Amino acid sequence: MASSPSTMAATAPASASVASEANATTTPQAPLKTKLHGRAFYESIGSPKYIVAPMVDQSEFAWRMLTRSFLPAEEQHKLLCYTPMFHARLFTEAPKYRDSHYQPIRGPLTENSPRPGSPDYVPFLDGNPKFDRSVFVQFCANDPNYLLSAAKLVAPYCDAVDLNLGCPQGIAKRGQYGSFLQENQELIFKLINTLHKELDIPVTAKIRILDTKEATLKYAQNVLSAGASILTVHGRRREQKGHQTGLADWEYIRYLREKLPKETVIFANGNILQYSDLEKCLEATGADGVMSAEGNLSDPGLFARPPPVGEEGREYWRSKDGSRGGWRVDAVMRRYMDIIHKYVLEQEPPARRALFMPGDDVAWLEEQPTASTTETTTQDNNGDEPPRKKHKSANGTASTPSSTTPASADPSNPHLHPKNIQSSPNLVSMQPHCFHLLRHFVTQHTDVRDMLARARNGADIAKYEAILIQVEKKVAQGLIEYERTGGASFDVDVLEALYKETEESKDDPESSAKARRENKRPWWVVQPIIRPLPKEALAKGALQLSKKDLKAQKAKEEEKERQKKAAGGKVAAVAEAVTEAAKAMASSVVGGGETEKDETKTAEKEAPVPVQGDNGAETAVESLETTTSYPKSELVSG
């Protein structure tokens, strides 16, 4: 079975105050290691096959720890993780931005901070050699100097620095970074080459595919010639985002694998929904490793091999026929909360009862919330955040529970100061993470959705503990109902309804029906969020064509209509010629058994008719073909 957060307690950071000399310029530095490149570097970090993608504010330390926790202890270091994308200029110029995003040491991160190997180096969270390696730090940038300055700040505390060339969002367009640099190949070369020449650690890059395989190959060659040790390829174009996300094209990645030198290290990204997709992607693309973003957000246990049948334990659910399984949402959220307590708040997690299994005592389901939980819930329901009520403690004295700082907070530890803890990247990310984990759960239990909507920053940890209590209770009730109905509450009521709904479109390559059928799990199990494909989004009105697309669509329709008329004229001419030939044949045959009419009909039937496709009509989705690919991949999203 996978290791639990308690297994990792032995490696938790000790609570140590920050020495005033921590950032002294006289700090001795560790001797430089030999810089490796390309496959030699890849092999030095264990040749990882599975990679947690860089995601803005979503691949922070606590999430990386949670993802690693599902792997056996001896394999956790083999999982390569990327940090969230950081803005190079802000990281260089704004200490507050820097210290609220990357925390490798307890004090401020400066160019003179203590380095690994020096006597005063005390590792904290990000890049901690004991439990957060291997880790790459990703930056977006359009200025080589800012990028180099930012990279030098993190280089002592990570394994490589990555350049983001794939972000497709509007903010990247406005800031001219990410995928909006792909038209400026000269700048891309300079950004990567500067790091390659100046850093003591390797540089890597993540790109998106271009309109053609040949153009993408030239792009990849430019990135590699600039000095990138590893190339990550997201098999979608820049335009494929939101409702136009569509499918990632694994064939492009396979093409790069075949055309680039064999020693090139390639990571594939896109279309990963569940564990079985990992090997499918590696086989289809020939890549060295496979990266997941959205799939990992929905299921941090994605990279862990499912437990064998009969060895599920209390954390993993499997259907009665054994065909479907997944990690329970209460188990995943509990692991996540324990990591937040242990590493971020530096306190012992609350004592918790064993996760419920059918057959266990159910009296606890009727237990009333504790005073602190009731207070939190009452305050939440009022919505106006009135002053907290005071409750009498056991000795009769008044007390006001604090949800801003942990009970064991050390005043001498600046990391746990209320102002700093409010901006902790690990606590700021808790709400979006929980919404991803509980996406299917909260569609059934809107009261928990409302509690989560009010929780916001994880610094108010009591609110998240109250949410966890409700999640555990409702999962228990779902499991009880599943057993009571002999599995029918999901196997019949949900699955059969889904099969009927998607039967006609299950084999349509432009439909998400097949992915929905294969990946559906009960609401108490973490599972992927499957986006509708562009054709479906258009049909539902979620996606609207731009004026440019509409104009192009109209032009195509007019052209097709002209071709149809022209083809119709050719068909008429062919038919007339065949008729005349049939008449001549009929008149030359003595005692023929077929009439002139029959002969003509046979000849016309055998005459070739030009293919016009769908009666010459064209659907609206065809106007997206220039920006959205529909490859043979069976998967959606990821």
Side-chain angles (χ1 to χ4, degrees), residues 613-635:
D614 293 340
N615 300 319
E618 180 168 356
T619 61
V621 76
E622 288 184 51
S623 65
L624 295 174
E625 288 180 348
T626 57
T627 58
T628 306
S629 63
Y630 297 98
K632 296 178 181 179
S633 170
E634 300 175 352
L635 308 175

Side-chain angles (χ1 to χ4, degrees), residues 217 220-221 224 231 255-262 264 266:
L217 176 60
Q221 290 170 332
L224 293 168
L231 176 69
Y255 178 82
L256 295 181
R257 173 75 285 168
E258 294 172 349
K259 296 295 183 180
L260 292 171
K262 291 183 179 180
T264 304
I266 299 178

Side-chain angles (χ1 to χ4, degrees), residues 8 53 55 117 248 294 427 473 501 584:
M8 301 181 288
M55 297 169 280
E294 288 187 347
L427 300 179
K473 287 186 174 183
E501 175 192 342

Side-chain angles (χ1 to χ4, degrees), residues 247-303:
L247 298 171
D249 194 333
W250 287 352
E251 292 181 3
Y252 268 65
I253 304 175
R254 165 61 74 174
Y255 178 82
L256 295 181
R257 173 75 285 168
E258 294 172 349
K259 296 295 183 180
L260 292 171
K262 291 183 179 180
E263 63 269 20
T264 304
V265 181
I266 299 178
F267 293 159
N269 181 210
N271 292 352
I272 305 302
L273 296 178
Q274 55 185 339
Y275 178 80
S276 61
D277 299 334
L278 298 170
E279 290 303 320
K280 287 181 183 178
C281 181
L282 290 173
E283 182 179 353
T285 62
D288 297 279
V290 55
M291 175 184 286
S292 176
E294 288 187 347
N296 170 248
L297 286 180
S298 298
D299 178 8
L302 175 75
F303 299 110

Side-chain angles (χ1 to χ4, degrees), residues 16 238 248 252 311 364 392 472 490 569 571 590:
R238 182 171 62 195
Y252 268 65
E311 300 180 20
W364 66 279
K392 287 190 175 181
E472 291 180 350
F490 173 72
V571 170
V590 178

Side-chain angles (χ1 to χ4, degrees), residues 184-196:
N184 192 340
Q185 291 293 314
E186 183 178 349
L187 176 58
I188 288 175
F189 183 94
K190 190 173 182 179
L191 289 165
I192 295 172
N193 193 244
T194 299
L195 297 191
H196 176 57

Side-chain angles (χ1 to χ4, degrees), residues 370-391:
T370 63
S372 60
T373 304
T374 303
E375 176 192 322
T376 301
T377 305
T378 301
Q379 179 176 331
D380 288 346
N381 289 337
N382 289 338
D384 296 326
E385 296 291 338
R388 295 180 178 275
K389 296 180 181 179
K390 292 186 178 181
H391 296 276

Side-chain angles (χ1 to χ4, degrees), residues 49-109:
K49 288 174 59 179
Y50 303 146
I51 304 102
V52 174
M55 297 169 280
V56 178
D57 296 332
Q58 294 286 273
S59 55
E60 78 293 344
F61 168 82
W63 192 258
R64 301 194 297 268
M65 288 295 289
L66 175 62
T67 303
R68 288 189 172 107
S69 76
F70 287 91
L71 299 172
E74 65 275 12
E75 295 183 13
Q76 291 180 10
H77 71 283
K78 295 181 180 180
L79 181 68
L80 171 59
C81 298
Y82 284 63
T83 66
M85 180 190 76
F86 303 144
H87 192 289
R89 181 181 59 79
L90 292 176
F91 201 90
T92 300
E93 294 182 336
K96 185 175 181 180
Y97 173 89
R98 180 167 64 242
D99 294 333
S100 64
H101 282 79
Y102 197 62
Q103 301 174 332
I105 57 175
R106 291 183 177 277
L109 179 60

